[in-house]
Amino acid sequence: MTEKPQILYVEDDPSSATLVQRVLGAEGYNVTVVTDGMAALEMGQRMQPVLVLMDINISGMDGYEVTTRLRAFDHIKDVPIVAVTAAALRGDRERALIAGCSGYIPKPIDIDRFPEQVQEFIGGMREEVESEEKKSEYLVEYSRRLVERLEEKIRELQQAHEDLQHLERMKSDFVILAGHELRTPLTVIYGYNQLLLTMPDIPGAVDEEGSPRYLISQVAEATKRLSQVVEDILNVTLIDANKLDLKIVPIEINTMVESVIKNLTSLDAGRSLEFVFDNLENLPPLRVDSQRIYQVLWNVISNSVKYTPDGGTITLSGRVLEDTVHLTIKDTGIGIDPQERDRIFDRFYVLENTSLHRTSKTAFKGGGMGLGLTVARGIVEAHGGKIWVESEGRDEEKLPGSTFHILLPLPT
Ligand code: ADP
């Protein structure tokens, strides 16, 4: 069985499309209809038609432009493209020919003559603009029109871009405001809970499940976790909006790392991991935003805890390298695949299956929102530093581990 010859028909009016499909279908053609210019270019790339019928007045790219573009495809270069249009203004035929059409059939289509007209074009008939003079006149007009349309499109794009930026600003202003609004009551709840815990007449013990003291400590812990989520959301928004202002103070990195580990291990319900410190006590003081660098260390170290099974080791080292401090956080965990090494620093990027999500900061493979490393990178870079990860790959059996590197500049 031989395949039917293909005709591509660019037409946004369904009744014309149906009519032509019926008439030419009866003549043994297979008519594919597309309704706009972009679809025509896509289809034109995939099929080998014997003829293209082109409605000129389509939305988006018009028929002239689509024709010019189709002519650039090697396999369509010599295929007849016939303009079919109702707007029979003076010069329309010439414009179509200049754009690359082989001829012109005015609408409404004369059903009786149509198959014959189509056959003539397929058979090799080509119309031409009468004189060279007219040709160059229309060519100039066509070029000018194209540039005008281009200008109009650029203007539209610029406007759309501005609107999007405005929307983005409104969104980040809202998130920043909401973050600040949430932060205050959370601090109050956490503070009052801590205060309650200092009162000797609160019965029970922190580890006595069900006792008032235990319940209060659970509320305090949950509040702290919630604050950290709010802090991550706030930070990522501030970083995106370039609004992260740093409160620079001198810090001892050693003390800060110890405090992160102390707070993490107080949450680590039954995890057994070894922490090794290497040379941190010999590092010179840094000048950084203390709260934010704490957050960086917290995010990176809590990840090492999350992705290292029990019995593993997390080694924290520091060296002075020229005018920077080079910190490494090395774990003996599941590791990270090479293709994920950059992506894990992207917003909302989580490798774990989110249906197994557990919002624990310390449980093995406990999930997060995928903001931790984005925030860490934003904060480190705002300090003029760098953060990256090295790992041989991910293997939950062999546990190749990951090493996070953080470079922070020394005060000048
Ligand atoms: P989350 O808040 O979900 O932990 P992060 O931005 O902190 O998000 O981390 C992104 C992803 O990078 C994690 O979901 C995890 O798959 C991977 N990842 C981060 N740190 C480690 C690590 N030390 N070992 C293995 N995978 C890690």
Side-chain angles (χ1 to χ4, degrees):
M1 198 181 86
T2 52
E3 269 193 29
K4 287 183 183 176
Q6 305 277 332
I7 290 181
L8 176 62
Y9 186 19
V10 187
E11 173 63 80
D12 60 1
D13 168 35
S15 54
S16 302
T18 313
L19 180 69
V20 167
Q21 257 174 333
R22 220 171 268 157
V23 174
L24 294 182
E27 298 290 320
Y29 294 102
N30 192 350
V31 181
T32 303
V33 177
V34 289
T35 53
D36 65 57
M38 293 316 278
L41 295 179
E42 205 181 297
M43 188 55 81
Q45 226 148 12
R46 284 194 275 132
M47 70 189 277
Q48 178 60 70
V50 293
L51 177 91
V52 179
L53 292 169
M54 182 70 65
D55 179 19
I56 296 299
N57 298 310
I58 46 175
S59 60
M61 278 176 103
D62 68 17
Y64 299 127
E65 291 155 356
V66 180
T67 301
T68 304
R69 193 65 194 96
L70 279 177
R71 279 282 175 242
F73 298 163
D74 247 3
H75 67 289
I76 297 204
K77 194 164 85 241
D78 301 318
V79 171
I81 302 180
V82 180
V84 186
T85 181
L89 296 174
R90 210 177 68 85
D92 273 357
R93 179 179 159 274
E94 287 77 3
R95 274 180 210 105
L97 297 179
I98 288 294
C101 288
S102 319
Y104 183 84
I105 298 177
K107 266 190 193 169
I109 290 164
D110 178 347
I111 296 295
D112 299 328
R113 280 209 56 223
F114 191 57
E116 193 188 316
Q117 286 172 311
V118 162
Q119 197 46 56
E120 280 170 2
F121 282 111
I122 294 174
M125 189 182 85
R126 300 289 182 265
E127 292 179 30
E128 282 195 15
V129 181
E130 284 70 37
S131 69
E132 281 304 315
E133 199 183 328
K134 233 178 174 181
K135 205 170 175 175
S136 62
E137 187 187 314
Y138 278 106
L139 206 56
V140 169
E141 189 211 271
Y142 184 55
S143 313
R144 192 177 304 139
R145 235 191 90 248
L146 279 185
V147 177
E148 276 166 14
R149 295 257 299 159
L150 186 66
E151 184 190 341
E152 185 190 325
K153 291 290 156 209
I154 292 175
R155 238 184 262 286
E156 278 172 23
L157 273 179
Q158 275 172 340
Q159 187 59 48
H161 183 66
E162 268 170 40
D163 292 349
L164 267 181
Q165 275 184 325
H166 178 66
L167 214 65
E168 180 68 26
R169 267 198 304 277
M170 275 175 43
K171 186 208 78 187
S172 59
D173 284 352
F174 169 74
V175 176
I176 293 168
L177 202 75
H180 284 301
E181 289 294 321
L182 284 169
R183 209 191 227 171
T184 320
L186 279 172
T187 314
V188 175
I189 299 172
Y190 183 72
Y192 284 3
N193 268 282
Q194 292 300 90
L195 209 63
L196 278 172
L197 287 172
T198 62
M199 294 179 178
D201 41 347
I202 300 280
V206 168
D207 53 3
E208 188 189 328
E209 233 171 276
S211 72
R213 188 168 286 279
Y214 168 85
L215 298 179
I216 295 169
S217 75
Q218 290 292 304
V219 175
E221 197 187 298
T223 315
K224 191 161 190 181
R225 218 148 61 204
L226 188 55
S227 301
Q228 259 144 9
V229 171
V230 170
E231 218 51 44
D232 272 348
I233 295 175
L234 198 56
N235 274 322
V236 96
T237 313
L238 288 169
I239 290 163
D240 274 356
N242 236 338
K243 284 186 177 164
L244 196 72
D245 46 344
L246 305 174
K247 290 189 201 74
I248 303 290
V249 292
I251 61 138
E252 297 285 344
I253 205 84
N254 190 26
T255 325
M256 193 174 265
V257 170
E258 275 170 10
S259 151
V260 169
I261 303 223
K262 190 167 145 262
N263 284 331
L264 262 175
T265 44
S266 75
L267 298 176
D268 82 349
R271 296 293 318 274
S272 81
L273 292 166
E274 191 191 351
F275 290 94
V276 176
F277 301 88
D278 167 25
N279 198 46
L280 293 181
E281 69 284 5
N282 297 324
L283 295 175
L286 284 171
R287 287 185 59 77
V288 294
D289 184 319
S290 160
Q291 226 182 337
R292 293 216 160 92
I293 291 297
Y294 182 93
Q295 181 98 26
V296 171
L297 293 172
W298 173 277
N299 291 355
V300 175
I301 300 173
S302 66
N303 276 345
S304 305
V305 170
K306 276 196 300 190
Y307 299 104
T308 306
D310 282 343
T313 308
I314 294 162
T315 311
L316 303 122
S317 340
R319 301 270 176 280
V320 172
L321 255 182
E322 293 172 12
D323 50 358
T324 57
V325 162
H326 183 178
L327 297 174
T328 54
I329 297 102
K330 180 173 164 30
D331 63 48
T332 57
I334 58 176
I336 298 164
D337 275 335
Q339 67 270 24
E340 311 288 352
R341 266 180 236 151
D342 291 327
R343 273 188 264 165
I344 56 169
F345 292 95
D346 290 347
R347 268 199 285 183
F348 312 122
Y349 194 75
V350 280
L351 286 167
E352 304 310 320
N353 182 346
T354 44
S355 64
L356 305 173
H357 206 100
R358 280 178 299 161
T359 45
S360 165
K361 274 288 167 202
T362 53
F364 179 50
K365 297 206 279 171
M369 288 200 304
L371 288 180
L373 291 177
T374 316
V375 167
R377 185 182 54 187
I379 294 177
V380 169
E381 287 178 356
H383 282 82
K386 271 200 185 120
I387 180 169
W388 71 99
V389 65
E390 277 173 1
S391 174
E392 278 171 26
R394 180 177 169 133
D395 191 326
E396 297 199 20
E397 302 280 303
K398 293 194 183 128
L399 303 172
S402 314
T403 306
F404 280 81
H405 298 258
I406 300 174
L407 286 186
L408 287 171
L410 278 167
T412 43

